[in-house]
Amino acid sequence: MLLTSLNPAVVAAGADIADAVTIGGTTLSRSDLVGAATSVAERVGGASRVAVLATPTATTVLAITGALIAGVPFVPVPADVGAAERAHILTDSGAQAWLGELPADPGGLPHVPVRLHARSWHRYAEPHPDAPAYVMYTSGTTGAPKGVQTSRRAIAADIDALSAAWAWTPDDTLVHGLPLFHVHGLVLGLLGSLRIGNRFVHTGKPSPQNYAAANGTLYFGVPTVWSRVAADRQAAAALSSARLLVSGSAPLPVPVFDRLVEITGHAPVERYGSTESLITLSTLADGERRPGWVGLPLDGVQTRLLDDAGDPVPHDGETIGHLHVRGPMLFDGYLNRAEATADVLAADGWYRTGDVAVVDEAGMHRIVGRESVDLIKSGGYRIGAGEIETTLLGHPAVAEVAVVGLPDDDLGQRIVAFVVASTAAEAVPDELIEHVGQQLSAHKRPREVRLVAALPRNAMGKVLKKELT
């Protein structure tokens, strides 16, 4: 059963938790979840798909849980998405109704409300493991967003593998303040908690103060969140009593990693995944946690790194290759996009991630970045932007940085660093270029450093490098 901890037999046997889910000012017990979500299931059973406005509220939790109980795939829709993108998601997914909250413009779809105090104890048969759980739309960096179809079996396999990797148990209290329309906040945070059976606390705004007050054992955050926590010594110190700090969705800067270790005593767990693959790589609760490295393949996962000719690259920790992954948590394909699916998902199960990485002799992986924006080909060299970014973040004058390759008539691409200056020291472009030259090979030095007030980011904190020109 995907929602293991919500099995009515488990609850009836005494496994209820009075504060199983706390979100948006509401606390739901385990029996609250079962009764209210089953009431939702009764109203949506038989639908092909429903749209859920994925706000951090109890209504969203019950809408999603009720759809899963009924075996109705749901489509999480960001609350702040633009009108054109929302219309595309609704049309492309074929959602038949809004379940739960309504956006300002519902696009003509009927509304199925969620009643927080309604209860039903009807028993639903568990849907087939291969049935789709949801259709989640990608950010659409190239063209319109694509609907990623993910099965119940894939979600269960991924959560179980993470349970083993992170020693994640029902005794944990999982805390985060991330959106519920992405894998990180929705699948790992909410659905993971519903499967494992731990307490789940959503902080609303993921501020250092809210994290510090949550009294969790397991914390999830994106690098932007951890950077703010690390900058607030008092809040960070309050996390010393936690068991595990987990960072993902973008690379965690090494200085932030180091500061969290210094203040909390915890080396953060870093992991890697995507909407299409869920989580496939992670450092381990009882293993090495190396700054800038995302760890080993989870149980059941295989990886391979290939060069441009399709040949394996050496596992020397230096040679960059295109990352492919295979495992039971992969998606079933893009909705209505057979050609796009075939471009990335081979018949033998290998998924071409679009990321480039290196792997060392021990099997530890470091993600260099996206093929399209983080693999820079300059003067005949293949250069990873991430290595240069890490080096620049080691300079006291650099608070944030994004490195890109811009077109160059002579070099093919020239390395340009966009830097947000810190207040600790004066940021002088020539000095920053020289700093990289002292740490890395000469061909990895930026040809130009541009000082900017901020870097463009999406809702998950990822830098939108295609906007840097």
Side-chain angles (χ1 to χ4, degrees), residues 341-428:
T341 301
D343 285 343
V344 299
L345 189 60
D348 59 1
W350 283 103
Y351 168 59
R352 179 179 174 271
T353 67
D355 288 317
V356 284
V358 301
V359 62
D360 69 8
E361 293 180 353
M364 286 279 281
H365 292 65
R366 178 170 63 83
I367 305 301
V368 172
R370 298 296 294 171
E371 293 174 356
S372 56
V373 293
D374 293 311
L375 180 59
I376 300 170
K377 298 178 181 179
S378 181
Y381 294 98
R382 293 160 55 88
I383 302 161
E387 184 178 21
I388 304 170
E389 290 166 351
T390 297
T391 301
L392 283 167
L393 284 168
H395 193 284
V398 178
E400 299 178 49
V401 61
V403 171
V404 300
L406 297 183
D408 187 275
D409 291 339
D410 180 40
L411 298 170
Q413 289 182 305
R414 71 182 187 280
I415 302 170
V416 179
F418 291 80
V419 169
V420 177
S422 73
T423 57
E426 183 182 1
V428 179

Side-chain angles (χ1 to χ4, degrees), residues 11-93:
V11 176
D16 191 21
I17 296 178
D19 54 349
V21 171
T22 299
I23 187 169
T26 299
T27 294
L28 301 170
S29 71
R30 190 80 71 215
S31 59
D32 287 335
L33 277 169
V34 173
T38 303
S39 174
V40 172
E42 289 186 342
R43 294 197 293 278
V44 298
S48 58
R49 289 186 198 95
V50 292
V52 176
L53 193 68
T55 56
T57 62
T59 296
T60 296
V61 170
L62 293 175
I64 288 169
T65 308
L68 289 171
I69 289 173
V72 175
F74 64 91
V75 183
V77 180
D80 61 352
V81 72
E85 187 170 339
R86 182 171 59 243
H88 166 74
I89 291 172
L90 296 178
T91 301
D92 188 69
S93 68

